[in-house]
mmCIF file of all heavy atoms in Angstrom:
data_model
loop_
_atom_site.group_PDB
_atom_site.id
_atom_site.type_symbol
_atom_site.label_atom_id
_atom_site.label_comp_id
_atom_site.label_asym_id
_atom_site.label_seq_id
_atom_site.Cartn_x
_atom_site.Cartn_y
_atom_site.Cartn_z
ATOM 1 N N TRP M 4 119.950 -19.738 101.731
ATOM 2 C CA TRP M 4 119.523 -20.150 100.393
ATOM 3 C C TRP M 4 119.315 -21.652 100.353
ATOM 4 O O TRP M 4 120.046 -22.376 99.715
ATOM 5 C CB TRP M 4 120.543 -19.710 99.341
ATOM 6 C CG TRP M 4 120.448 -18.265 99.024
ATOM 7 C CD1 TRP M 4 121.244 -17.271 99.482
ATOM 8 C CD2 TRP M 4 119.487 -17.635 98.180
ATOM 9 N NE1 TRP M 4 120.838 -16.064 98.974
ATOM 10 C CE2 TRP M 4 119.760 -16.253 98.171
ATOM 11 C CE3 TRP M 4 118.405 -18.095 97.426
ATOM 12 C CZ2 TRP M 4 119.017 -15.327 97.460
ATOM 13 C CZ3 TRP M 4 117.658 -17.183 96.712
ATOM 14 C CH2 TRP M 4 117.965 -15.808 96.738
ATOM 15 N N THR M 6 117.577 -25.153 99.290
ATOM 16 C CA THR M 6 117.054 -25.588 97.992
ATOM 17 C C THR M 6 115.594 -25.165 97.853
ATOM 18 O O THR M 6 115.144 -24.755 96.793
ATOM 19 C CB THR M 6 117.164 -27.117 97.871
ATOM 20 O OG1 THR M 6 118.463 -27.511 98.284
ATOM 21 C CG2 THR M 6 116.936 -27.568 96.447
ATOM 22 N N ALA M 36 105.512 -0.636 66.928
ATOM 23 C CA ALA M 36 104.486 0.170 66.263
ATOM 24 C C ALA M 36 104.200 1.484 66.968
ATOM 25 O O ALA M 36 103.917 2.480 66.317
ATOM 26 C CB ALA M 36 103.201 -0.638 66.127
ATOM 27 N N THR M 85 117.327 -13.598 74.147
ATOM 28 C CA THR M 85 117.847 -12.239 74.115
ATOM 29 C C THR M 85 117.043 -11.315 75.017
ATOM 30 O O THR M 85 117.516 -10.261 75.415
ATOM 31 C CB THR M 85 117.787 -11.716 72.694
ATOM 32 O OG1 THR M 85 116.430 -11.843 72.262
ATOM 33 C CG2 THR M 85 118.652 -12.536 71.791
ATOM 34 N N THR M 131 115.559 8.402 74.213
ATOM 35 C CA THR M 131 116.727 8.547 73.334
ATOM 36 C C THR M 131 116.710 7.484 72.243
ATOM 37 O O THR M 131 117.031 7.754 71.094
ATOM 38 C CB THR M 131 118.030 8.406 74.140
ATOM 39 O OG1 THR M 131 117.914 7.262 74.972
ATOM 40 C CG2 THR M 131 118.295 9.604 74.994
ATOM 41 N N TYR M 132 116.274 6.290 72.604
ATOM 42 C CA TYR M 132 116.292 5.207 71.625
ATOM 43 C C TYR M 132 115.377 5.514 70.441
ATOM 44 O O TYR M 132 115.728 5.354 69.287
ATOM 45 C CB TYR M 132 115.873 3.911 72.329
ATOM 46 C CG TYR M 132 115.965 2.680 71.467
ATOM 47 C CD1 TYR M 132 116.915 2.567 70.454
ATOM 48 C CD2 TYR M 132 115.109 1.616 71.681
ATOM 49 C CE1 TYR M 132 116.989 1.425 69.689
ATOM 50 C CE2 TYR M 132 115.179 0.466 70.919
ATOM 51 C CZ TYR M 132 116.124 0.387 69.915
ATOM 52 O OH TYR M 132 116.193 -0.748 69.169
ATOM 53 N N GLY M 137 110.977 13.867 68.892
ATOM 54 C CA GLY M 137 110.459 14.259 67.595
ATOM 55 C C GLY M 137 108.995 13.903 67.388
ATOM 56 O O GLY M 137 108.439 14.154 66.322
ATOM 57 N N GLN M 139 104.766 13.703 68.384
ATOM 58 C CA GLN M 139 103.777 14.693 68.777
ATOM 59 C C GLN M 139 103.691 14.772 70.296
ATOM 60 O O GLN M 139 103.986 13.799 70.995
ATOM 61 C CB GLN M 139 102.433 14.344 68.158
ATOM 62 C CG GLN M 139 102.529 14.440 66.638
ATOM 63 C CD GLN M 139 101.270 13.989 65.929
ATOM 64 O OE1 GLN M 139 100.223 13.901 66.541
ATOM 65 N NE2 GLN M 139 101.388 13.730 64.644
ATOM 66 N N HIS B 43 121.977 6.187 65.973
ATOM 67 C CA HIS B 43 120.818 6.162 65.080
ATOM 68 C C HIS B 43 121.257 6.309 63.632
ATOM 69 O O HIS B 43 121.174 7.376 63.036
ATOM 70 C CB HIS B 43 119.835 7.276 65.471
ATOM 71 C CG HIS B 43 119.289 7.049 66.848
ATOM 72 N ND1 HIS B 43 118.268 7.786 67.373
ATOM 73 C CD2 HIS B 43 119.628 6.160 67.815
ATOM 74 C CE1 HIS B 43 117.995 7.373 68.590
ATOM 75 N NE2 HIS B 43 118.823 6.393 68.885
ATOM 76 N N VAL B 84 105.150 -1.575 59.737
ATOM 77 C CA VAL B 84 105.166 -0.956 61.065
ATOM 78 C C VAL B 84 105.952 0.361 61.021
ATOM 79 O O VAL B 84 105.555 1.367 61.627
ATOM 80 C CB VAL B 84 105.787 -1.930 62.087
ATOM 81 C CG1 VAL B 84 106.107 -1.210 63.375
ATOM 82 C CG2 VAL B 84 104.830 -3.073 62.356
ATOM 83 N N TRP B 91 103.433 9.081 64.026
ATOM 84 C CA TRP B 91 103.512 9.775 65.312
ATOM 85 C C TRP B 91 104.526 10.914 65.296
ATOM 86 O O TRP B 91 104.630 11.658 66.247
ATOM 87 C CB TRP B 91 103.908 8.803 66.435
ATOM 88 C CG TRP B 91 103.330 7.433 66.303
ATOM 89 C CD1 TRP B 91 104.000 6.271 66.232
ATOM 90 C CD2 TRP B 91 101.943 7.096 66.225
ATOM 91 N NE1 TRP B 91 103.134 5.234 66.104
ATOM 92 C CE2 TRP B 91 101.855 5.701 66.092
ATOM 93 C CE3 TRP B 91 100.754 7.830 66.231
ATOM 94 C CZ2 TRP B 91 100.657 5.029 65.981
ATOM 95 C CZ3 TRP B 91 99.554 7.165 66.112
ATOM 96 C CH2 TRP B 91 99.511 5.775 65.998
ATOM 97 N N ALA B 93 106.154 14.236 65.025
ATOM 98 C CA ALA B 93 105.555 15.567 65.128
ATOM 99 C C ALA B 93 105.752 16.329 63.821
ATOM 100 O O ALA B 93 106.821 16.269 63.220
ATOM 101 C CB ALA B 93 106.184 16.326 66.282
ATOM 102 N N LEU B 126 115.676 -1.629 64.858
ATOM 103 C CA LEU B 126 115.051 -2.648 65.705
ATOM 104 C C LEU B 126 115.206 -4.028 65.086
ATOM 105 O O LEU B 126 115.528 -5.007 65.758
ATOM 106 C CB LEU B 126 113.558 -2.348 65.853
ATOM 107 C CG LEU B 126 113.193 -1.226 66.799
ATOM 108 C CD1 LEU B 126 111.704 -0.978 66.759
ATOM 109 C CD2 LEU B 126 113.616 -1.603 68.202
ATOM 110 N N THR B 133 120.462 -10.563 67.909
ATOM 111 C CA THR B 133 120.219 -11.353 69.114
ATOM 112 C C THR B 133 119.743 -12.760 68.759
ATOM 113 O O THR B 133 119.944 -13.694 69.523
ATOM 114 C CB THR B 133 119.204 -10.657 70.027
ATOM 115 O OG1 THR B 133 118.103 -10.247 69.227
ATOM 116 C CG2 THR B 133 119.829 -9.461 70.697
ATOM 117 N N ARG B 158 124.312 -24.397 92.292
ATOM 118 C CA ARG B 158 122.966 -24.501 92.867
ATOM 119 C C ARG B 158 122.000 -23.544 92.174
ATOM 120 O O ARG B 158 120.835 -23.867 91.954
ATOM 121 C CB ARG B 158 123.002 -24.234 94.372
ATOM 122 C CG ARG B 158 123.307 -25.513 95.158
ATOM 123 C CD ARG B 158 123.819 -25.245 96.541
ATOM 124 N NE ARG B 158 122.992 -24.320 97.294
ATOM 125 C CZ ARG B 158 121.903 -24.678 97.968
ATOM 126 N NH1 ARG B 158 121.489 -25.921 97.979
ATOM 127 N NH2 ARG B 158 121.215 -23.793 98.648
ATOM 128 N N ASP B 225 117.227 -32.479 97.693
ATOM 129 C CA ASP B 225 118.042 -32.599 98.910
ATOM 130 C C ASP B 225 118.300 -34.061 99.239
ATOM 131 O O ASP B 225 119.408 -34.436 99.633
ATOM 132 C CB ASP B 225 117.329 -31.929 100.088
ATOM 133 C CG ASP B 225 117.498 -30.423 100.066
ATOM 134 O OD1 ASP B 225 118.451 -29.956 99.412
ATOM 135 O OD2 ASP B 225 116.685 -29.715 100.687
#
Side-chain angles (χ1 to χ4, degrees):
Chain M
W4 283 101
T6 313
T85 56
T131 47
Y132 185 31
Q139 295 175 17
Chain B
H43 296 189
V84 167
W91 323 122
L126 284 176
T133 47
R158 273 160 51 84
D225 281 339

